[in-house]
Amino acid sequence: VQLQASGGGLVQTGGSLRLSCAASGGTFRSYHMAWFRRAPGKEREFVAAVSRSGAGTVYADSVKGRFTASRDNAKNTVYLQMNSLKPEDTAVYYCAAGRIATMREHEYNYWGQGTLVTVSS
């Protein structure tokens, strides 16, 4: 499975962005999808995950209530709607696909290349 993330950019505090991750080369609906991020100088961390059907989602506490993960299986695409952005959300955001619904990054088999989100104060 190949994953291509897009939608990052520069936004002011309080603003919004929507990230997209397009999948190809596999059966998209058979994978749980997740978003992770790596902030400057920090380890990569879990952000959100969405189940195969899209009915189930889970979020890191730091983004709960501000970010929404969703997917469109007809378009082989997963999304991350990010609202009320804060400077601490600045990071490279990665999408990932895996067979297990989990927050553990080593359980995900396929990764996108990352898209940079910068939130200015």
Side-chain angles (χ1 to χ4, degrees):
V1 175
Q2 291 80 47
L3 302 174
Q4 180 74 37
S6 61
L10 174 64
V11 63
Q12 292 186 331
T13 295
S16 297
L17 279 176
R18 188 175 82 154
L19 305 184
S20 299
C21 175
S24 61
T27 306
F28 179 70
R29 66 173 63 85
S30 69
Y31 291 95
H32 298 285
M33 299 298 296
W35 290 93
F36 289 78
R37 67 185 181 187
R38 187 195 305 273
K42 295 188 177 181
E43 307 232 333
R44 190 157 58 185
E45 65 176 1
F46 172 81
V47 175
V50 56
S51 65
R52 288 187 291 255
S53 68
T57 53
V58 62
Y59 299 94
D61 288 343
S62 58
V63 307
K64 204 171 292 184
R66 301 187 298 122
F67 290 12
T68 303
S70 63
R71 65 191 293 164
D72 185 337
N73 285 343
K75 295 183 178 179
N76 290 353
T77 302
V78 62
Y79 304 98
L80 186 67
Q81 177 66 42
M82 305 186 295
N83 299 328
S84 303
L85 282 161
K86 306 174 181 179
E88 51 263 45
D89 294 319
T90 294
V92 176
Y93 284 72
Y94 300 88
C95 56
R99 297 287 191 181
I100 299 173
T102 176
M103 295 185 284
R104 297 188 295 270
E105 66 173 279
H106 70 272
E107 299 283 4
Y108 287 90
N109 310 103
Y110 305 100
W111 291 82
Q113 85 290 0
T115 184
L116 176 63
V117 172
T118 304
V119 184
S120 63
S121 56

